[in-house]
Amino acid sequence: MRKNNFIKINGLLFILAASTLVGCGNSDPKVTCSTGTYIGSIESSVESFKGIHYAKAPVGDLRWKAPVPVDESKQTFEAKRFGKSALQTKADSEQASMNPEGLSEDCLTLNIWTKDLKKKNKPVMFWIHGGAYSYGGTSDPLYNGKYIVNEHPDVLLVTANYRIGPMGFIDFSEYDPDGEYKTSGYNGLLDQITALKWVNKNIEAFGGNPNNVTIFGESAGGGSVTQLLVSQIDHGKDGIEEIGDGRLFQHAIAESGALNFGMTHERYKQLGAAKLFLDKAGLTNVNDLAHLTEERIRELYFDKSNDSDVIANIAVTPLLAEDSITGADPYSRILNGSGKNVDLIIGTTKDENRYFLDDVCDPALRSVLGTPEYEPLLEKKMGLFAKAMTGMKLENYLAKCNEQEKANAMTFLEMQKDKEPNEIWQKTALLNEYGFRGPAIKVAENHYRAGGTGKTYMYYFQKKNTTFDWIGACHASELSYVFHNLEDEQFSGTVVPKIADQMCGAWTNFATNHNPTYGGVTWPEYNDTTRKTMFFNDDATFEVVSDPMKTERELIASSLRLYVNL
């Protein structure tokens, strides 16, 4: 989940009647499907189609409502540029916030990369971007699909924008007695589902196999992946539609994100995002707010007057409640079988929380590296972050623990002294367990214990950032490796080709052959006994470790119940 300066808290029965048209020679690639004919472009020998609308613009009567799929069409559309990014504040660490096409509510578009339109039945990889559910987008150069497709031409890649921040996740229930905006707390997830339905209906025209789809994402995207596994939509008389039942996707990869990324009605009320939005507008009726012009919404969304909070910067996450699509206890849902027949890879990086202290390129920190001023400045920045991000401060975690759990936490911290003399990093190591590794292990355990046909795999990424050693293998540091993007060094430093080859290969082989074993490196399944986990090491070696950091896992096991739904 990326945010501000380096913060990242991120129909099968349809018969496609249209034909696929492939341009010859140097002509642009062209594809016809149910929603129109799309003229794409060729970049680095990869055919790409960008900015395809999968849903109508969520404005006016559709604002804060469930997405409405675009109509079928016989029109021709140029698909050579990314669509607009979702509304968000601009941040150096979020390149999609600098999208040349701009920011807009009209952001529900997807992009497709494929090597050869003539080749059919390709496995489809569907990427869900991170960004704290409030930042990011598919125009970020890091997510350019040409890198994966050039390395592995037998797969097809799709990336999709979705509504983020309070435009995609805000709980209006206390101001919405008639339930007209009942989906406001999880519309961003519904956007992702609508994009997957577009893929299911149309991707065959682009050479993809709608029955072999892998969803994958990082941070908020990883959280979204697990949330889609447990999502259920109640259609009333039509019954319950289970999203993770294997119809829209058959495989899932969750990177640095799990089911703890969510908020209850009570937490939303405490956060006050809905009240702030209405107060800024001088309104009491959410319906009036929904019908303001986009220009006025923008003014309210980014208003900084009177030192008040900027609505766009409020860290919102999907609603966890009985009246949401994930339910109030998604961990129980996955244990009870939601997504049990979907193959799953889930994992984390070694130093997740070091990411959140500040931007690795921050000149103030860089200028005092190795001096006595460094530690106090870093601690100050960590304190500012903890103040801004309620729930990330260690004291807030420990306050919920009983005496034994607090004692376990202290034992955990004492153990870290042999590994890391810096007290700040000792604390972030514990926060890594509470906020990332622990919840990921819980998802893996429950997925395995559900007893379905879906296989479970776990990984642990340890490659340190080569530009700033102190940031370690931080949150997002694996992204360049997964995308085989050797050019993007923002979160990884210099990308080691050997690790990129192995990690990207494992991901694509999982999508293709349902197994992440790749390049002679065997990746065994995860279970709750041996807990075999694939390590991507700092020295570019790969090894399987049984029950890694067992003592640390056991020390926080009981207290994890307090933090899986923060």
Side-chain angles (χ1 to χ4, degrees), residues 258-363:
L259 293 171
N260 54 316
F261 292 170
M263 291 183 180
T264 63
H265 283 298
E266 293 73 20
R267 179 71 183 100
Y268 256 112
K269 187 173 182 179
Q270 180 186 24
L271 190 69
K275 183 178 186 302
L276 179 62
F277 222 139
L278 289 165
D279 286 350
K280 280 180 176 287
L283 300 171
T284 58
N285 188 314
V286 65
N287 189 61
D288 290 339
L289 181 63
H291 288 90
L292 295 176
T293 65
E294 179 169 354
E295 181 181 4
R296 180 58 178 146
I297 285 290
R298 285 173 175 269
E299 291 175 356
L300 296 169
Y301 202 62
F302 300 112
D303 176 38
K304 299 180 181 178
S305 62
N306 302 319
D307 295 323
S308 58
D309 293 328
V310 178
I311 295 170
N313 287 347
I314 294 177
V316 293
T317 54
L319 177 66
L320 296 177
E322 290 301 331
D323 55 344
S324 75
I325 61 174
T326 61
D329 185 0
Y331 280 91
S332 291
R333 274 197 180 180
I334 202 165
L335 180 62
N336 291 331
S338 291
K340 68 179 181 179
N341 296 327
V342 173
D343 296 321
L344 173 68
I345 294 176
I346 189 167
T348 59
T349 70
K350 177 179 179 292
D351 304 302
E352 298 277 6
N353 276 287
R354 295 194 185 194
Y355 175 106
F356 300 111
L357 298 181
D358 212 318
D359 192 329
V360 292
C361 296
D362 178 53

Side-chain angles (χ1 to χ4, degrees), residues 223 226-227 257-264 317-318 320 326-332 334 391 397 400 433-446 556-566:
T226 60
Q227 286 151 356
L259 293 171
N260 54 316
F261 292 170
M263 291 183 180
T264 63
T317 54
L320 296 177
T326 61
D329 185 0
Y331 280 91
S332 291
I334 202 165
Y397 281 81
K400 301 178 182 181
E433 295 293 309
Y434 283 144
F436 289 96
R437 197 175 82 102
I441 289 173
K442 195 66 176 176
V443 170
E445 283 180 352
N446 287 4
I556 70 150
S558 64
S559 54
L560 187 63
R561 63 189 168 80
L562 301 168
Y563 311 116
V564 293
N565 294 333
L566 290 174

Side-chain angles (χ1 to χ4, degrees), residues 347-470:
T348 59
T349 70
K350 177 179 179 292
D351 304 302
E352 298 277 6
N353 276 287
R354 295 194 185 194
Y355 175 106
F356 300 111
L357 298 181
D358 212 318
D359 192 329
V360 292
C361 296
D362 178 53
L365 279 173
R366 181 168 48 194
S367 66
V368 296
L369 275 172
T371 71
E373 290 80 17
Y374 175 72
E375 294 292 343
L377 180 59
L378 183 60
E379 187 166 9
K380 177 181 178 182
K381 289 180 177 294
M382 184 177 182
L384 290 173
F385 169 74
K387 181 178 179 181
M389 299 300 295
T390 302
M392 289 298 294
K393 195 172 182 179
L394 182 56
E395 288 74 10
N396 293 342
Y397 281 81
L398 297 180
K400 301 178 182 181
C401 294
N402 61 37
E403 292 307 310
Q404 182 59 59
E405 290 163 346
K406 290 179 181 177
N408 288 348
M410 295 304 106
T411 300
F412 182 103
L413 291 174
E414 189 68 26
M415 289 174 58
Q416 302 311 303
K417 291 182 179 180
D418 292 335
K419 302 177 182 179
E420 175 55 66
N422 186 317
E423 183 179 354
I424 296 173
W425 300 143
Q426 295 164 17
K427 291 180 178 179
T428 57
L430 181 53
L431 289 171
N432 291 342
E433 295 293 309
Y434 283 144
F436 289 96
R437 197 175 82 102
I441 289 173
K442 195 66 176 176
V443 170
E445 283 180 352
N446 287 4
H447 184 259
Y448 165 75
R449 291 169 178 171
T453 59
K455 299 176 181 178
T456 311
Y457 300 92
M458 270 205 99
Y459 75 88
Y460 192 65
F461 185 82
Q462 297 195 102
K463 182 69 187 75
K464 296 178 182 177
N465 183 297
T466 59
T467 306
F468 294 91
D469 287 342
W470 63 270

Side-chain angles (χ1 to χ4, degrees), residues 97-149:
S97 70
M98 313 289 186
N99 186 353
E101 301 301 323
L103 309 175
S104 175
E105 290 186 89
D106 184 7
C107 62
L108 302 184
T109 61
L110 56 77
N111 319 288
I112 301 168
W113 287 267
T114 187
K115 190 70 170 181
D116 182 2
L117 284 169
K118 295 178 182 178
K119 186 171 182 179
K120 306 301 180 183
N121 211 38
K122 292 181 180 178
V124 177
M125 299 184 72
F126 182 98
W127 173 252
I128 304 173
H129 72 80
Y133 297 96
S134 296
Y135 295 82
T138 61
S139 65
D140 192 322
L142 178 57
Y143 308 141
N144 193 309
K146 67 181 181 182
Y147 300 105
I148 287 181
V149 171

